[in-house]
């Protein structure tokens, strides 16, 4: 306790840090060294070197922040700063984040741990950190102007509280939120139970990631901070497919995936090939009697969802947001529908004036994934990613759950594409086929129509001919 009193005396904190407060230059010498990470890869889980053992989480395309023990307190150091994030090969974004990354590193602790988090501000404006979902003293809640003064540029504040309940949480600023969250300032927090919990099962694989979105014009680097609806880059942990790593597990592993949503809309998260249970929210573990099997669960704005399943089906299974626009990135929002319109002659004339002009969606958007077309600097095609059978035609919030019988316990390396057993892949049929049944009845109506058109209108549909358009 003496060293703790000396620390707070040097820091100028009255009452043993009852509120988030500035750290003086004298106390800065006692700060833990900040750990930085600039690689966009999924880092191995951070296994605790001392204390009680637990199964650590794996942050998709991210990492876990190391800590040091100081007189029984876990000390972390977050640095809020501008960062460069590779969102996918070929596109980088100038964002704001923590410790070299956006999102910042995951913080992992035990229920009952006393934690001390130093926050150094290297941004060009003031900031704060709100510990989303945590039970803590009011002065540690991180709301600028309400529960604390702002952390000004160049200053360091300290937050200290006890991790009172197990669960999945987030951290993000509550200062100039429209700017700072739009620029990518956010991170994950996991509190493991201190003893066996009746509502928290043991799992072999435990993944986590945040849903976030950006509006970055093709050819530019910095997000637009005033966008409310027209985002064009939908991401997991500030990565977009095909830049999102796969989730690699062993056959029959019990898998937990923790998902947090800090975008401005909801996301129905859908897993192929398996059913899952929603076992937790940011309010804590869900009662077992309130759980039911799903293949899609909606994650609303500001919410966390924790899903669990047994990975008992081998293969490469898609995992994605089920809003179609969220799996088609770098897209415009005011493009007219051109399906069925033959505009080859017009396109040729326009190309003479604008060499980079592209025909958009004459037969459907899949054409875009097949074209070799010029792109602005620092952008990626709208639908990209090459699978074992060709273009996957996805982007944004999309990845793959890879379930393998020969994946070793604790091995998170990508095993490559699944080798399907004979007879288990859909194939083209070349034999005789029965005539397909088509619905013929026009249906009734609730009442007679008063005014009828003078002549019947027939809708013209342009259909592909031959096998090349199927």
């Amino acid at each position: 306790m003496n060293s703790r009193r000396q620390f707070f005396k040097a820091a100028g904190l009255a009452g043993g840090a009852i509120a988030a407060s500035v750290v003086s230059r004298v106390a800065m010498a006692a700060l833990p060294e900040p750990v930085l990470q600039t690689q966009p890869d999924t880092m191995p889980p951070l296994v605790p070197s001392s204390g009680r053992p637990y199964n650590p989480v794996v942050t998709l395309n991210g990492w876990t922040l190391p800590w040091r023990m100081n007189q029984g307190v876990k000390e972390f150091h977050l640095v809020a700063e501008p960062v460069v994030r590779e969102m996918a090969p070929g596109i980088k974004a100038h964002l704001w984040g923590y410790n070299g990354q956006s999102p910042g590193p995951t913080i992992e602790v035990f229920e009952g741990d006393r934690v001390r988090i130093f926050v150094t501000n290297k941004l060009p404006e003031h900031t704060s950190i709100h510990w989303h979902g945590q039970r803590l003293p009011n002065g540690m809640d991180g709301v600028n102007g309400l529960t604390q003064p702002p952390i000004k540029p160049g200053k360091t504040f300290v937050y200290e509280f006890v991790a009172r309940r197990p669960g999945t949480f987030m951290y993000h600023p509550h200062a100039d939120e429209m700017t700072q969250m739009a620029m990518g300032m956010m991170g994950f927090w996991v509190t493991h139970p201190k003893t066996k919990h009746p509502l928290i099962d043991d799992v072999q694989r435990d993944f986590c990631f945040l849903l976030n979105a950006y509006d970055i014009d093709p050819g530019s680097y910095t997000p637009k901070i005033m966008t409310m609806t027209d985002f064009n880059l939908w991401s997991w942990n500030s990565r977009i497919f095909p830049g999102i790593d796969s989730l690699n597990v062993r056959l029959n592993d019990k898998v937990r995936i923790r998902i947090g949503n800090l975008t401005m809309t909801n996301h129905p998260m859908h897993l192929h090939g398996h059913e899952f249970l929603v076992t937790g929210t940011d309010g804590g573990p869900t009662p077992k009697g309130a759980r039911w099997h799903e293949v899609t669960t909606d994650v609303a704005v500001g919410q966390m969802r924790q899903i669990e399943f047994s990975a008992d089906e081998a293969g490469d299974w898609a995992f994605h947001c089920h809003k179609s626009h969220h799996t088609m990135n770098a897209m415009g929002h005011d493009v007219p529908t051109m399906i069925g319109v033959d505009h080859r002659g017009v396109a040729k004339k326009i190309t003479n004036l604008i060499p980079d002009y592209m025909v958009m969606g004459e037969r459907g958007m899949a054409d875009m994934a097949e074209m070799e077309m010029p792109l602005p600097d620092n952008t990626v095609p709208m639908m990209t990613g090459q699978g074992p059978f060709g273009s996957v035609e996805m982007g944004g919030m999309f990845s793959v759950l890879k379930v393998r019988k020969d994946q070793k316990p604790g091995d998170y390396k990508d095993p490559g594409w699944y080798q399907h057993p004979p007879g288990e892949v859909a194939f083209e049929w070349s034999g005789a086929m029965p005539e397909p049944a088509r619905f013929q009845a026009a249906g009734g109506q609730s009442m007679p129509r008063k005014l009828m058109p003078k002549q019947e209108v027939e809708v013209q549909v342009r259909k592909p001919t031959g096998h090349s358009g199927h």
Side-chain angles (χ1 to χ4, degrees):
M1 282 300 291
N2 286 337
S3 64
R4 186 167 179 263
R5 273 197 222 98
Q6 289 168 358
F7 167 81
F8 286 118
K9 183 178 179 182
L13 308 185
I18 60 172
S21 302
V22 69
V23 178
S24 71
R25 288 186 178 181
V26 177
M28 285 288 283
L31 289 180
E33 189 73 19
V35 181
L36 305 180
Q37 176 62 264
T38 57
Q39 295 183 11
D41 306 324
T42 301
M43 295 293 117
L46 184 62
V47 179
S49 58
S50 61
R52 290 165 296 199
Y54 58 80
N55 185 39
V57 299
V58 172
T59 306
L60 201 62
N61 291 104
W63 60 297
T64 294
L65 184 64
W67 66 86
R68 74 175 185 188
M69 295 302 299
N70 184 2
Q71 299 294 311
V73 181
K74 277 188 177 176
E75 292 187 336
F76 300 85
H77 191 175
L78 286 173
V79 179
E81 60 184 349
V83 302
V84 176
R85 175 67 162 174
E86 182 191 76
M87 300 192 75
I91 176 171
K92 292 183 178 180
H94 292 180
L95 305 177
W96 290 359
Y98 301 93
N99 298 56
Q101 283 285 337
S102 169
T106 297
I107 294 176
E108 268 186 286
V109 301
F110 250 119
E111 176 189 11
D113 279 349
R114 175 169 285 276
V115 297
R116 183 180 297 142
I117 307 112
F118 299 92
V119 180
T120 299
N121 184 9
K122 292 188 177 181
L123 299 173
E125 68 168 358
H126 66 259
T127 190
S128 72
I129 294 191
H130 167 58
W131 312 100
H132 185 110
Q134 299 276 7
R135 290 289 190 102
L136 37 60
N138 182 246
M140 297 292 174
D141 196 43
V143 181
N144 183 55
L146 177 65
T147 65
Q148 70 167 80
I151 310 175
K152 294 180 180 180
K155 299 296 184 181
T156 296
F157 270 47
V158 60
Y159 297 83
E160 183 167 337
F161 53 90
V162 174
R164 290 164 55 181
R165 61 189 182 92
T168 308
F169 311 103
M170 300 180 276
Y171 62 87
H172 60 80
H174 248 300
D176 192 12
E177 268 186 70
M178 190 72 185
T179 298
Q180 296 186 13
M181 291 182 68
M183 289 292 289
M185 295 190 70
M186 56 193 71
F188 224 92
W189 179 300
V190 173
T191 301
H192 296 280
K194 62 181 177 181
T195 57
K196 179 68 177 176
H197 195 290
L199 299 178
I200 301 177
D201 293 342
D202 293 332
V203 296
Q204 283 74 54
R205 311 273 171 160
D206 199 338
F207 297 95
C208 67
F209 60 90
L210 287 169
L211 308 172
N212 40 16
Y214 301 96
D215 185 8
I216 304 176
D217 286 334
S220 66
Y221 290 86
T222 305
K224 298 177 183 179
I225 61 173
M226 300 305 290
T227 299
M228 294 186 67
T229 56
D230 291 342
F231 295 93
N232 63 356
L233 295 175
W234 299 95
S235 60
W236 293 357
N237 275 358
S238 299
R239 293 282 287 184
I240 57 177
F241 181 80
I244 301 175
D245 286 345
S246 55
L247 292 82
N248 310 312
V249 307
R250 181 179 174 88
L251 184 67
N252 293 320
D253 272 355
K254 187 161 186 177
V255 180
R256 177 183 294 130
I257 304 176
R258 309 169 191 249
I259 307 164
N261 181 8
L262 286 175
T263 72
M264 290 193 180
T265 187
N266 64 307
H267 299 278
M269 300 300 297
H270 175 58
L271 176 63
H272 292 208
H274 298 80
E275 308 86 29
F276 58 75
L277 294 170
V278 177
T279 58
T281 70
D282 31 5
T286 55
K288 292 194 174 181
R291 303 175 185 178
W292 58 87
H293 284 95
E294 296 269 18
V295 296
T296 304
T297 187
D298 198 42
V299 188
V301 179
Q303 283 188 338
M304 307 289 302
R305 287 292 180 269
Q306 176 181 294
I307 67 172
E308 294 178 18
F309 59 94
S310 176
D312 52 10
E313 295 287 348
D316 294 334
W317 301 104
F319 180 41
H320 59 95
C321 174
H322 218 291
K323 287 188 174 181
S324 298
H325 279 205
H326 298 178
T327 54
M328 292 175 58
N329 266 348
M331 64 182 300
H333 296 273
D334 297 318
V335 178
T337 299
M338 302 299 288
I339 293 176
V341 177
D342 186 352
H343 52 294
R344 285 171 292 186
V346 176
K348 185 176 180 180
K349 294 178 181 178
I350 296 176
T351 304
N352 292 332
L353 298 173
I354 309 173
D356 291 345
Y357 174 76
M358 298 176 293
V359 178
M360 295 293 288
E362 181 182 340
R363 295 178 298 168
M365 299 308 290
D367 284 356
M368 308 306 297
E370 299 171 4
M371 291 181 180
E372 290 291 335
M373 54 190 177
L375 291 170
D377 292 338
N378 199 50
T379 191
V380 291
M382 189 161 45
M383 297 184 295
T384 185
Q386 196 70 13
F389 298 101
S391 175
V392 179
E393 297 173 7
M394 286 287 183
M397 294 179 163
F398 182 93
S399 189
V400 179
L401 172 74
K402 294 189 174 184
V403 183
R404 298 291 189 275
K405 182 179 180 180
D406 54 355
Q407 192 88 354
K408 295 180 180 178
D411 182 4
Y412 289 89
K413 293 193 299 290
D414 188 341
W417 298 118
Y418 181 61
Q419 301 300 311
H420 298 86
E424 292 190 7
V425 177
F427 60 96
E428 181 180 356
W429 178 257
S430 58
M433 294 186 296
E435 185 66 22
R438 287 188 169 87
F439 186 70
Q440 300 292 336
Q445 59 190 46
S446 60
M447 61 187 70
R449 181 174 175 178
K450 186 176 182 180
L451 297 176
M452 296 293 290
K454 293 181 179 180
Q455 60 183 23
E456 187 173 335
V457 178
E458 181 180 352
V459 177
Q460 300 293 325
V461 178
R462 180 183 173 206
K463 298 181 180 180
T465 58
H467 291 286
S468 61
H470 283 273

